[in-house]
């Protein structure tokens, strides 16, 4: 596999609104990120992915942008952002920005003009209705339909997400040129790349009814998508940067078309086979996913590994165990950093933060949650049932503020946090983790340091030694004459293993690992 700096990188995701608040308005802000850069650098990560901080009415937490060249006041000012770039750079950290160009906010000036049939009338997707209803039976991610009626224009407009997020018409060359110019504006400011929001949705298929509107893959991955991405790459010069595409509804073979080294498109991608398919850890399935992606991509492409982010419940709660919180957080960390691909740490993961559940539907600020909840209640489902079925995977579970210390509001904000702080902050916080030599935090620092030292973690091949074992995950990474074996016991009971070799145990999450019995959530890494 060809050597490249970004393959060796570890990415740290900063969801700034929940990171650190410096002005007491209850929202984290860009100055807060800058203030904590020493902490971020101390984690041994290389790249910061900053969630959207562009001007936005904030219906979908910044994923509804009303001006791509301005900063949302809640986050701060353009000067704050430029200072963040400079100070990150001074610490050797790269910064990538979220790029949200499948849709804008309905309050973007472009949409206002389009609605009014102005010069930008074809910048969005407009259609007449059909038999007194919307043009197709398609479902959007966040609302029942992908179509909303616009009285002003007497037509429907298309939105893959909420009605406040109209999709841009990428068939229009003026739209594409405006987006590329905007991307160059940010590159000129010195950013190092983009995390591209639902980027494989920008190409639409023909607008005709589908047999099963709930099987929503018709929204993504349509023929012609690669022409758009190749054009974008050429026009913005993306090869010299770092790009990761958020690519839903894609399996490994199609995945390679986005990230193959000879494709001139993206560097790497997030796929959703884990995040969308599993409510809890289904280990045999997880192993199949890893194997299929490795086989399809290696050595021509690299996947991105994540188990949680701002859209997905925290990994300890979802795939590990709150009872064995520290053990399972370390196990999942060890796994993420030793599987093939680029590891992403979502803020707070490095201290083993857990997912939060709210007791009442009104407590969930997320537009996706609210819209889906409302639809199900209107369809006659019982509120308690709807709430309990939506609680585990609600996006807000992972959006609670970073727990810095045991003081009020976990040291996140002097004001009223926009979303409640997890009450377990008195026990789980950065300060406590710094003071505890056995903390998840120090374990994560070891993992990132190992990646710098051992190319096998980046470039090694991958071999699953026990694909059918329901509890043990045993795999080897090999590069030249180095072979590492990772042995993970993914359950809350002891497991006997025949896979523990005589080699040197380089890192584990239990003090005295005995050779053949693995403790609950025990994780070991051997050099053979
Ligand atoms: C992506 C983002 C998510 C957002 C959606 C629409 O999935 O990660 O937070 O709501 O795109 O932009």
């Amino acid at each position: 596999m060809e050597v490249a700096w970004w393959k060796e990188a570890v990415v740290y995701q900063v969801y700034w609104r929940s990171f650190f608040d410096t002005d007491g308005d209850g929202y984290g802000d860009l100055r807060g990120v800058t203030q904590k850069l020493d902490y971020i650098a101390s984690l041994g990560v290389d790249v910061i992915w900053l969630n959207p901080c562009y001007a936005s009415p904030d219906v979908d937490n910044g994923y509804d942008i009303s001006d791509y060249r301005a900063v949302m006041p809640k986050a701060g000012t353009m000067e704050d952002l430029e200072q963040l770039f400079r100070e990150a750079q001074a610490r050797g950290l790269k910064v990538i920005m979220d790029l949200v160009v499948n849709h804008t906010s309905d309050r973007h000036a472009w949409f206002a003009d389009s609605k009014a049939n102005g010069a930008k009338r074809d910048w969005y997707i407009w259609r007449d209705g059909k038999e007194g209803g919307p043009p197709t039976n398609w479902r959007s991610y966040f609302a029942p339909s992908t179509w909303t009626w616009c009285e002003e224009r007497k037509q429907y407009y298309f939105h893959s997400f909420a009605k406040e997020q109209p999709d841009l018409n990428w068939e229009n060359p003026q739209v594409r040129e405006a987006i590329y110019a905007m991307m160059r504006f940010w590159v000129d400011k010195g950013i190092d790349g983009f995390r591209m929001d639902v980027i494989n949705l920008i190409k639409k298929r023909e607008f005709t009814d589908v047999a099963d509107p709930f099987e929503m893959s018709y929204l993504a991955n349509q023929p012609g998508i690669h022409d758009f991405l190749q054009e974008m790459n050429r026009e913005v010069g993306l090869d010299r940067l770092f790009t990761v595409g958020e690519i839903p509804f894609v399996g490994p073979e199609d995945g390679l078309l986005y990230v193959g080294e000879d494709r001139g498109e993206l560097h790497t991608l997030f796929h959703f086979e884990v995040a969308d398919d599993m409510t809890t850890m289904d280990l045999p399935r997880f192993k199949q996913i890893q194997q299929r992606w490795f086989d399809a991509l290696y050595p021509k492409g690299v996947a991105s590994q994540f188990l949680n982010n701002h859209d997905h419940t925290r990994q300890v709660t979802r795939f590990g165990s709150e009872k064995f919180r520290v053990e399972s957080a370390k196990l999942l960390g060890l796994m993420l950093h030793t599987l093939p691909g680029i590891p992403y740490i979502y803020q707070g993961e490095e201290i083993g933060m857990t997912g939060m559940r709210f007791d009442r539907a009104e407590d969930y600020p997320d537009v996706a949650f609210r819209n889906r909840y409302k639809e199900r209640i209107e369809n006659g489902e019982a509120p308690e049932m709807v709430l309990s079925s939506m609680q585990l995977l609600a996006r807000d579970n992972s959006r609670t503020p970073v727990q810095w210390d045991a003081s009020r509001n976990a040291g996140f904000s002097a004001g009223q946090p926009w979303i409640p702080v997890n009450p377990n902050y008195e026990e789980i916080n950065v300060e406590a983790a710094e003071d505890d030599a056995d903390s998840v935090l120090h374990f994560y620092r070891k993992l990132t340091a190992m990646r710098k030292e051992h190319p096998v973690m980046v470039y090694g091949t991958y071999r699953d030694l026990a694909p059918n074992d329901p509890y043990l995950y045993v795999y080897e990474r090999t590069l030249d004459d180095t072979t590492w074996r990772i042995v993970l016991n993914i359950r809350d009971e002891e497991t006997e293993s025949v896979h523990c070799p005589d080699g040197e145990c380089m890192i584990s999450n239990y003090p005295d690992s005995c050779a053949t019995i693995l403790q609950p959530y025990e994780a070991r890494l051997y050099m053979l």
Side-chain angles (χ1 to χ4, degrees):
M1 185 186 266
E2 276 179 40
V3 170
W5 73 264
W6 54 268
K7 297 180 186 172
E8 299 168 15
V10 176
V11 182
Y12 187 74
Q13 182 190 348
V14 175
Y15 195 61
W16 54 266
R17 75 184 56 227
S18 297
F19 194 65
F20 186 59
D21 176 18
T22 58
D23 61 5
D25 70 350
Y27 287 86
D29 45 46
L30 298 170
R31 288 187 179 197
V33 182
T34 303
Q35 270 193 36
K36 296 287 186 185
L37 280 174
D38 285 333
Y39 170 73
I40 297 175
S42 81
L43 301 174
V45 301
D46 307 277
V47 177
I48 293 174
W49 153 25
L50 191 63
N51 283 97
C53 57
Y54 311 93
S56 163
D58 226 14
V59 169
D60 185 21
N61 293 7
Y63 284 92
D64 49 320
I65 296 169
S66 52
D67 184 349
Y68 287 107
R69 297 176 192 231
V71 171
M72 183 186 317
K74 274 177 197 159
T77 63
M78 188 61 93
E79 289 69 50
D80 295 340
L81 185 55
E82 286 167 351
Q83 190 188 0
L84 165 54
F85 294 158
R86 280 194 305 274
E87 300 224 2
Q89 229 165 35
R91 290 164 178 82
L93 292 165
K94 298 190 190 294
V95 179
I96 65 171
M97 300 268 285
D98 230 296
L99 179 81
V100 189
V101 293
N102 175 67
H103 44 270
T104 67
S105 160
D106 62 345
R107 306 247 218 104
H108 197 295
W110 297 346
F111 191 67
D113 185 76
S114 199
K115 263 202 313 200
N117 253 316
K120 295 188 170 52
R121 75 180 68 86
D122 293 327
W123 281 43
Y124 293 81
I125 300 167
W126 296 95
R127 291 288 183 281
D128 294 329
K130 199 182 65 184
E131 294 148 18
T136 68
N137 64 351
W138 297 13
R139 279 188 68 81
S140 84
Y141 273 88
F142 295 172
S145 173
T146 48
W147 300 100
T148 290
W149 175 254
C150 172
E151 194 48 39
E152 192 175 343
R153 183 156 156 162
K154 301 262 183 292
Q155 275 190 312
Y156 286 90
Y157 65 89
F158 181 82
H159 50 90
S160 301
F161 294 88
K163 67 178 188 332
E164 295 86 355
Q165 295 166 293
D167 283 28
L168 284 162
N169 175 18
W170 275 75
E171 301 303 327
N172 185 334
Q174 291 176 348
V175 169
R176 304 207 296 277
E177 189 35 57
I179 297 295
Y180 304 150
M182 175 274 284
M183 292 171 75
R184 289 189 287 261
F185 166 87
W186 287 103
V187 173
D188 291 343
K189 285 208 182 283
I191 68 163
D192 300 286
F194 298 100
R195 175 269 187 189
M196 300 187 180
D197 192 60
V198 291
I199 198 65
N200 67 331
L201 267 59
I202 59 178
K203 179 78 191 181
K204 315 300 181 200
R205 54 159 264 185
E206 202 193 332
F207 294 109
T208 53
D209 279 354
V210 290
D212 178 5
F214 285 85
E215 200 285 292
M216 286 163 56
S217 57
Y218 50 84
L219 290 178
N221 204 33
Q222 296 300 321
I225 178 64
H226 299 290
D227 298 330
F228 284 165
L229 290 178
Q230 285 164 16
E231 180 183 88
M232 177 193 279
N233 183 315
R234 282 193 308 272
E235 293 291 322
V236 187
L238 293 179
D239 282 344
R240 67 201 153 102
L241 303 168
F242 170 59
T243 56
V244 48
E246 189 195 26
I247 312 279
F249 301 115
V250 164
E253 287 71 28
D254 279 350
L256 184 63
L257 300 177
Y258 290 91
V259 301
E261 253 155 22
D262 49 354
R263 299 281 305 166
E265 297 186 24
L266 307 173
H267 288 101
T268 178
L269 59 75
F270 299 118
H271 67 76
F272 287 89
E273 295 207 303
V274 174
D276 283 350
D277 286 5
M278 283 177 221
T279 39
T280 57
M281 179 54 90
D282 172 351
L283 189 56
R285 165 119 184 89
F286 186 85
K287 292 173 180 178
Q288 275 170 22
I289 294 169
Q290 294 299 333
Q291 190 70 58
R292 285 171 43 243
W293 278 88
F294 178 77
D295 291 345
L297 261 48
Y298 192 88
K300 281 199 155 340
V302 178
S304 285
Q305 297 282 2
F306 72 101
L307 287 176
N308 52 195
N309 63 27
H310 66 294
D311 294 329
H312 298 281
T313 300
R314 288 192 173 274
Q315 60 189 32
V316 171
T317 302
R318 184 171 178 185
F319 298 118
S321 152
E322 290 190 11
K323 179 168 170 216
F324 293 97
R325 183 184 68 83
V326 171
E327 292 79 3
S328 67
K330 290 179 181 175
L331 175 143
L332 294 170
L334 179 62
M335 180 172 88
L336 260 282
H337 288 255
T338 56
L339 282 171
I342 301 168
Y344 289 68
I345 302 172
Y346 173 54
Q347 65 183 34
E349 172 189 327
E350 74 279 11
I351 57 166
M353 275 177 64
T354 59
M356 172 113 151
R357 276 183 204 208
F358 301 111
D359 295 333
R360 302 173 317 163
E362 312 82 273
D363 294 339
Y364 287 88
D366 177 24
V367 62
F369 186 100
R370 288 177 172 247
N371 288 6
R372 283 196 207 113
Y373 183 84
K374 179 163 170 272
E375 184 188 13
R376 291 179 61 177
I377 298 300
E378 282 170 5
N379 287 343
E381 290 186 62
E384 320 75 64
M385 298 293 288
V386 177
L387 179 61
S388 68
S389 73
M390 289 179 65
Q391 263 167 338
L392 176 67
L393 297 185
R395 303 199 300 176
D396 287 322
N397 291 4
S398 63
R399 294 179 175 180
T400 62
V402 170
Q403 296 161 203
W404 293 102
D405 57 40
S407 70
R408 189 167 153 265
N409 295 334
F412 160 69
S413 171
Q416 176 68 31
W418 72 276
I419 190 169
V421 174
N422 194 316
N424 64 19
Y425 72 91
E426 290 187 11
E427 181 206 343
I428 305 170
N429 63 63
V430 172
E431 194 178 72
E434 292 284 9
D435 291 345
D436 172 4
D438 287 328
S439 66
V440 179
L441 178 61
H442 291 301
F443 194 84
Y444 264 67
R445 289 190 174 127
K446 282 185 204 144
L447 293 172
T448 55
M450 284 168 74
R451 194 172 177 92
K452 300 264 163 330
E453 236 178 279
H454 302 283
V456 65
M457 285 170 88
V458 179
Y459 299 106
T461 56
Y462 166 84
R463 189 164 79 94
D464 185 344
L465 271 61
N468 299 318
D469 194 304
Y471 307 116
L472 288 180
Y473 193 7
V474 187
Y475 52 94
E476 288 183 353
R477 305 287 311 273
T478 300
L479 182 68
D480 304 325
D481 47 11
T482 304
T483 294
W484 282 13
R485 183 179 298 176
I486 294 90
V487 185
L488 311 172
N489 178 29
I490 311 194
R491 68 158 160 175
D492 55 7
E493 284 173 38
E494 287 184 358
T495 306
E496 176 133 27
S497 169
V498 294
H499 298 287
C500 299
D502 287 336
E504 179 198 349
C505 182
M506 298 181 58
I507 184 167
S508 83
N509 59 351
Y510 274 83
D512 31 42
S513 303
C514 138
T516 53
I517 306 280
L518 289 141
Q519 301 299 308
Y521 289 98
E522 182 159 356
R524 302 180 196 164
L525 192 167
Y526 294 94
M527 167 122 67
L528 300 190

